[in-house]
Amino acid sequence: MNSPRQRQIVMALVTLVTVGSTLLVATANSQAVAPEPERWVGSWSAALTPAGAGKSKDGFSDQTIRMFVHTSVGGSQARIRLSNRYGTKPLTIGHATLALPWPEAGPGDLKPGSVVDAAFNGQKSVTIPAGGSAVSDPVAMHVPASQDIAVTLYLPAQTPGPATWHLYARETAYIGAGDHATSATGAKLAETRNNWYYLTGLDVLNRSGQGSIVVLGDSITDGLKTTVNADRRWTDYLGARLVKEAPEGRAPGILNAGLSGNRLTLDGADLGVNELGMNGSSRFHFDVLGQTGVRTVILALGINDVWLSQDSADNIIARIQQLASLARQAGLKVIVCTLSPWNAFESAPGVVAYTPTLDSVRLTVNSYLRTSTDFDGVIDFDAALRDPANPTKLRAEWDSGDHIHPNDAGNEAMAKAIPLDLLLEDDEDED
């Protein structure tokens, strides 16, 4: 070991080990900063309900439905989720496509060359049993963030009965006879509705690593009174804000599970209006836990329980606490929203309108929400929207005119009032 040759061999081995260690460190460091693997995340969703009147009750026969949805985050692939949850017989989807819209060409038109088929286990069609659901195979297409995607469904020559649907889509759907799923023109889809049928979700594959956030809400979240076909719900504004402001493109998906008229305990059927949906507790497992990549839930329910049900503050608080418990058991982060002002709101005939006594229930619930430790965060929509001169009312410039639903500007103000650190995951909390 003392010969020059032996010393040279030992030094060479030491050098090799040292260099190898350096390479291992560099490799480890490279892995630490490597981009997230691609994962499926929800980019858009709609809460669905039993059928009401008209088209939802009668169903479809040998007809095409073209619907438009607004993404939150984008991705390199897409897949759609369909539901026959409230159907009474099997539902057959004969043909489904995804595409980019081309509204400047004409109503319901699609960008030429952008139409792609959506298969189901390699098959063009799928039959969904009553009460069931289906998810398409991945579709190779670039899905832009904060943009519309067209989903077209063809229902063959059969009458599937009552449709599972969403009443107030705030987006125009185009309907016509025959299979036009691959047609770029909407010329033969002349019948229009303001609803979504059977379509409950659009997932994308991306590297954000942030999962999705579900908003379980009522008509204020649903975007009632916002401009049709303009995507001006507060969740749309929030999704766009996160895409723009989240560091390093790490925006979570924003999934709107709002239903007009929704309450914490009672169903729409209790009022004879099926399309108002199941109560918040009943739909929690479908509309929250059933979402793709969900990590956080925002609870935005309660105002309908105040004026529509005339429930007590204690009951409303107990229901919100129960929803928070369900979310925590599922490992979700829980954020709650205060109830916004509604003074001067005139409700439907036969239903009590605003009174100071009823509003005291709202204020009691809000006091609890602001001070409770039952949640991971609070979004104070009451403080964001109320008139400083009369806190029981919405600011005039943000009032849609019915004194309870914010207009487009009010929805934008709601999104701007949300602290983004409530919604973004810390690196050490990620999987």
Side-chain angles (χ1 to χ4, degrees), residues 283-360:
R283 65 191 186 94
F284 184 85
H285 290 278
F286 287 110
D287 293 340
V288 177
L289 300 186
Q291 303 286 4
T292 301
V294 58
R295 291 189 177 188
T296 299
V297 60
I298 298 176
L299 304 177
L301 287 168
I303 192 63
N304 289 330
D305 299 87
V306 173
W307 75 268
L308 191 56
S309 304
Q310 299 172 50
D311 211 342
S312 70
D314 286 345
N315 281 344
I316 294 171
I317 290 169
R319 302 305 177 189
I320 295 174
Q321 288 173 325
Q322 184 55 228
L323 286 174
S325 295
L326 288 171
R328 287 195 182 283
Q329 288 174 15
L332 303 185
K333 184 176 181 180
V334 187
I335 298 170
V336 70
C337 302
T338 58
L339 310 185
S340 52
W342 66 299
N343 190 351
F345 173 57
E346 296 180 3
S347 60
V351 181
V352 175
Y354 174 90
T355 68
T357 299
L358 279 179
D359 200 41
S360 68

Side-chain angles (χ1 to χ4, degrees), residues 83-349:
S83 176
N84 191 25
R85 186 185 312 162
Y86 301 108
T88 58
K89 58 183 67 175
L91 166 70
T92 296
I93 304 297
H95 195 180
T97 63
L98 283 75
L100 300 177
W102 203 27
E104 56 268 32
D109 280 8
L110 308 177
K111 184 177 180 180
S114 72
V115 182
V116 289
D117 286 326
F120 300 85
N121 298 111
Q123 303 299 310
K124 179 179 177 179
S125 67
V126 63
T127 297
I128 308 172
S133 59
V135 60
S136 76
D137 300 339
V139 175
M141 67 177 296
H142 171 69
V143 181
S146 300
Q147 299 291 328
D148 282 358
I149 294 291
V151 178
T152 306
L153 305 178
Y154 168 63
L155 287 81
Q158 62 174 14
T159 302
T164 297
W165 73 325
H166 185 97
L167 176 61
Y168 294 120
R170 314 307 290 171
E171 299 277 355
T172 301
Y174 300 85
I175 302 168
D179 182 0
H180 302 286
T182 58
S183 176
T185 177
K188 293 185 178 181
L189 305 175
E191 184 180 348
T192 60
R193 292 287 189 275
N194 183 217
N195 318 116
W196 288 305
Y197 299 93
Y198 310 112
L199 181 63
T200 188
L202 174 73
D203 300 336
V204 298
L205 193 66
N206 72 20
R207 287 191 170 91
S208 75
Q210 291 287 299
S212 60
I213 297 169
V214 184
V215 184
L216 190 69
D218 49 36
S219 57
I220 295 174
T221 295
D222 202 13
L224 192 67
K225 299 293 184 176
T226 60
T227 301
V228 174
N229 296 329
D231 305 309
R232 291 177 180 171
R233 310 163 194 85
W234 69 264
T235 53
D236 295 325
Y237 283 114
L238 176 60
R241 183 183 169 206
L242 282 163
V243 167
K244 181 179 179 180
E245 299 183 26
E248 300 176 356
R250 299 173 68 77
I254 300 295
L255 303 178
N256 188 319
L259 280 179
S260 293
N262 204 228
R263 290 173 286 175
L264 288 161
T265 305
L266 298 177
D267 299 338
D270 295 312
L271 295 173
V273 189
N274 285 338
E275 51 266 50
L276 299 185
M278 307 296 287
N279 66 76
S281 296
S282 293
R283 65 191 186 94
F284 184 85
H285 290 278
F286 287 110
D287 293 340
V288 177
L289 300 186
Q291 303 286 4
T292 301
V294 58
R295 291 189 177 188
T296 299
V297 60
I298 298 176
L299 304 177
L301 287 168
I303 192 63
N304 289 330
D305 299 87
V306 173
W307 75 268
L308 191 56
S309 304
Q310 299 172 50
D311 211 342
S312 70
D314 286 345
N315 281 344
I316 294 171
I317 290 169
R319 302 305 177 189
I320 295 174
Q321 288 173 325
Q322 184 55 228
L323 286 174
S325 295
L326 288 171
R328 287 195 182 283
Q329 288 174 15
L332 303 185
K333 184 176 181 180
V334 187
I335 298 170
V336 70
C337 302
T338 58
L339 310 185
S340 52
W342 66 299
N343 190 351
F345 173 57
E346 296 180 3
S347 60

